[in-house]
Amino acid sequence: MDLNRYSYLWKEKKDGYVVVSTKSGYGIANQVKKSIVIINNPKLAAALAQEMIKNGSKVYSSVIAAFEDA
């Protein structure tokens, strides 16, 4: 799985994107645009979230918490 095409999530726009970790899995939200990133592949979503966490992205327990902290 090539994650390099998504590297903007943890490199160039690192401060805008955050990880949302819930009971049902991982999600990615953009705090600046107050939007969520739709990823239809749960394995890809988990791999991207792990890479983001590894690179210092913030982690929230809900989208609401992520947006309120923006």
Side-chain angles (χ1 to χ4, degrees):
M1 185 176 314
D2 182 24
L3 302 180
N4 287 327
R5 67 184 253 186
Y6 302 99
S7 65
Y8 66 92
L9 293 170
W10 58 86
K11 287 185 179 176
E12 297 90 25
K13 300 180 181 180
K14 179 179 178 176
D15 293 333
Y17 290 96
V18 297
V19 175
V20 178
S21 178
T22 66
K23 293 177 186 176
S24 59
Y26 289 108
I28 299 169
N30 184 309
Q31 288 182 306
V32 175
K33 295 181 180 179
K34 301 243 189 281
S35 63
I36 55 173
V37 178
I38 304 296
I39 300 172
N40 292 323
N41 180 328
K43 289 182 181 179
L44 175 59
L48 291 172
Q50 290 297 327
E51 192 66 29
M52 290 174 70
I53 292 167
K54 185 173 89 175
N55 283 281
S57 294
K58 292 181 181 179
V59 180
Y60 294 89
S61 60
S62 73
V63 173
I64 294 169
F67 291 167
E68 286 176 347
D69 192 41

